[in-house]
Amino acid sequence: MRILVLGGDGYLGWPTALYLSRRGHQVGVVDNGVRRQYDVEMGVDSLVPIASFDQRVDRWKDVSGLTLDRFEGDLTDPAFVSETLASFEPDAVVHFAEQRSAPYSMIDREHAVYTQVNNVVGTLNLLYAIAEQNRDIHLVKLGTMGEYGTPNIDIEEGYIEITHRGRTDVLPYPKQPGSFYHLSKVHDSHNIMFACRIWGLRATDLNQGIVYGHDTEETVLHPELATRFDYDGVFGTVLNRFCVQAVTGHPLTVYGSGGQTRGMLNILDTLACVELALEHPADPGEFRVFNQFTESFSVAEMAEMVRAEFNGDATIDHLPMPRVEKEEHYYRAAHTKLLDLGLNPHLLTRSVIQSILAVAEAHKDRVDPGAILPTVEWRSTASTLVTADGADGNGPSFTVADVPSGISSGGS
Ligand code: NAD
Ligand code: USQ
């Protein structure tokens, strides 16, 4: 297949591009580099050093003999999206290219507006380009389990059968997301579903849980093929963060009681799930939803698991909850559709946690301890990011050094 990977320079897009390339697909990678600009804005860097977009594409050719077609540009630019699609002529598009941090979207009005404009407009431009050029292109879009929130009933895969006053219908599952970022995914889902209905597009929404892990079969072939690893309080995700905290002697930062339960998956399963979705495309006009996670754990359970595997003393701190979310709740979410297609999950075993701890240990000299604590407060409408010197008594935090160009174009 000819597969265009949008967000191909990111944590998940890069290893997915290599994985698909190695399996014989012709892969194009699209990115505007904004993820690297957020690092500059936040004054942090990936735990694992990463090569530039150019370098990593060239290195893949050296190592594998395979070519990736590279497109540098912004999905919020409709001409760029249209020209890229016309030039690459994909059979399928895998869309990772969004601002993906919930805390980043909750910093202040500017960051909320930026996140929703970037994500919703980018996806809308893509839908138009597909509808105008080739409605047979299969869109595989990364959504999130967080679209559903934590209702007090079982979560289904996208749709729920409801009987109301004697009549029955199958309707989109109710959404109760927990940040302006997660809301952007809900808006995307609605737009994609509508586009499938009116234009007959074929789309798969992968409602992915929280990803952990770093190395894949392809990224370990050369240090310049490594993907990024975020550990900071804004972009780092929970299990990866706990591993970095353990090796640096920082207490593990459980927010609140830690009863928050989330669907989790190994980065290797992200690659496998995307491949399964591509191999079994949605029908014309079909908006299909798969819940893409393999196991669920509470935050407190994950902290305990990391503490148990760490070869040393790790302590757990229950910090005041910076977000607005339920700390104790019912959680049972269906996730059978990818298993039915043949997914063979890589579960969160002791050796998997040890392997993430090993990545963290190998690079722990690059950790900025001032970047670890959470710095974004959901209840505040103004930025709660403070200067890194901690002189104001609020503890270590970030400096907002620079504003990515995307923000000013986002209407601030
Ligand atoms: P990431 O930030 O590392 O990668 C996203 C990439 O998209 C970045 O390289 C960024 O520069 C690019 N991008 C963003 N906006 C763009 C635009 N307008 N035009 C062109 N490129 C743009 O994020 P990730 O962790 O790899 O996540 C990828 C996708 O998967 C996101 O959509 C995210 O919401 C979803 N997801 C991630 C996780 C996770 O745990 N990482 C879990 C569930 C869902
Ligand atoms: N948490 C802690 N301590 C930490 C970090 C997080 O207790 O140090 C808690 C949070 O309060 C939350 C849970 O852990 O309850 C997950 O937080 P997270 O930052 O790991 O993940 P989240 O904000 O949900 O976002 C991540 C990705 C996002 C993706 C989402 C999948 O950044 O792109 O959409 O996971 S899901 O959670 O299923 O919506």
Side-chain angles (χ1 to χ4, degrees):
M1 267 185 262
R2 297 183 62 77
I3 303 170
L4 204 53
V5 177
L6 313 182
D9 189 41
Y11 169 53
L12 301 177
W14 174 245
T16 302
L18 300 191
Y19 178 90
L20 295 172
S21 170
R22 201 178 186 196
R23 275 150 192 81
H25 301 291
Q26 183 56 44
V27 176
V29 278
V30 181
D31 211 290
N32 66 348
V34 74
R35 179 66 193 86
R36 295 170 188 256
Q37 288 183 53
Y38 306 146
D39 278 347
V40 175
E41 182 193 4
M42 296 289 134
V44 294
D45 202 355
S46 165
L47 172 79
V48 178
I50 49 171
S52 71
F53 197 19
D54 271 349
Q55 280 169 336
R56 49 175 37 171
V57 167
D58 290 348
R59 181 58 66 192
W60 179 242
K61 192 168 179 203
D62 289 348
V63 167
S64 68
L66 299 163
T67 309
L68 299 172
D69 297 306
R70 193 172 74 87
F71 300 88
E72 205 163 334
D74 192 326
L75 296 189
T76 63
D77 172 358
F80 169 73
V81 177
S82 176
E83 282 157 21
T84 303
L85 238 68
S87 123
F88 186 77
E89 297 188 333
D91 300 305
V93 176
V94 185
H95 179 14
F96 290 99
E98 299 203 326
Q99 191 302 97
R100 69 116 177 112
S101 157
Y104 189 89
S105 76
M106 299 301 292
I107 292 174
D108 57 14
R109 186 195 63 83
E110 278 189 342
H111 290 80
V113 169
Y114 165 74
T115 299
Q116 293 212 349
V117 170
N118 187 63
N119 296 0
V120 177
V121 172
T123 299
L124 206 44
N125 286 339
L126 179 64
L127 292 171
Y128 265 88
I130 293 174
E132 283 162 6
Q133 292 180 29
N134 177 7
R135 296 181 182 190
D136 212 34
I137 292 172
H138 179 207
L139 170 61
V140 176
K141 164 68 166 55
L142 272 291
T144 178
M145 283 302 293
E147 291 184 38
Y148 300 116
T150 51
N152 199 30
I153 57 171
D154 287 10
I155 293 170
E156 305 301 331
E157 295 196 71
Y159 299 89
I160 183 169
E161 185 177 301
I162 295 179
T163 301
H164 179 63
R165 296 186 181 170
R167 300 184 65 81
T168 300
D169 203 352
V170 176
L171 297 167
Y173 194 93
K175 306 286 177 79
Q176 302 180 82
S179 73
F180 285 121
Y181 152 71
H182 286 97
L183 271 155
S184 75
K185 295 288 194 185
V186 174
H187 305 327
D188 280 344
S189 296
H190 289 151
N191 286 345
I192 301 168
M193 179 187 240
F194 183 68
C196 289
R197 180 144 56 89
I198 58 170
W199 295 324
L201 304 195
R202 42 171 92 211
T204 304
D205 204 358
L206 297 175
N207 279 347
Q208 184 168 245
I210 304 169
V211 182
Y212 55 82
H214 181 254
D215 293 338
T216 72
E217 270 183 38
E218 292 76 27
T219 62
V220 295
L221 294 174
H222 191 282
E224 283 183 5
L225 297 177
T227 194
R228 56 177 308 119
F229 186 116
D230 301 310
Y231 67 90
D232 61 274
V234 175
F235 275 90
T237 48
V238 63
L239 189 59
N240 287 356
R241 265 167 69 69
F242 287 166
C243 290
V244 170
Q245 291 164 0
V247 303
T248 54
H250 195 289
L252 275 49
T253 55
V254 171
Y255 300 164
S257 72
Q260 309 92 304
T261 301
R262 297 289 183 269
M264 306 290 299
L265 74 160
N266 191 308
I267 191 169
L268 299 175
D269 288 334
T270 296
L271 314 187
C273 290
V274 167
E275 184 184 32
L276 284 170
L278 289 165
E279 282 173 350
H280 304 271
D283 289 331
E286 185 185 13
F287 176 69
R288 192 172 62 165
V289 183
F290 294 164
N291 290 348
Q292 181 166 311
F293 71 97
T294 58
E295 296 171 280
S296 51
F297 300 99
S298 74
V299 167
E301 278 171 341
M302 288 187 273
E304 282 300 339
M305 290 162 89
V306 171
R307 177 159 73 172
E309 286 323 309
F310 178 58
N311 190 13
D313 287 333
T315 56
I316 296 176
D317 260 7
H318 287 263
L319 302 183
M321 170 57 79
R323 306 187 181 196
V324 176
E325 60 188 19
K326 288 182 200 151
E327 294 175 35
E328 303 292 336
H329 57 88
Y330 176 78
Y331 195 79
R332 204 166 77 129
H335 56 109
T336 55
K337 290 189 181 174
L338 284 158
L339 294 170
D340 290 347
L341 289 180
L343 177 67
N344 190 9
H346 298 80
L347 300 180
L348 187 55
T349 58
R350 294 177 58 187
S351 68
V352 168
I353 297 178
Q354 286 161 8
S355 72
I356 307 172
L357 285 164
V359 172
E361 184 70 43
H363 300 281
K364 70 177 181 188
D365 55 321
R366 288 172 53 87
V367 173
D368 174 359
I372 288 181
L373 286 175
T375 49
V376 181
E377 164 55 58
W378 257 232
R379 289 174 180 81
S380 170
T381 55
S383 171
T384 47
L385 292 175
V386 291
T387 53
D389 57 15
D392 56 5
N394 283 338
S397 182
F398 300 128
T399 305
V400 182
D402 209 348
V403 178
S405 55
I407 286 190
S408 45
S409 66
S412 59

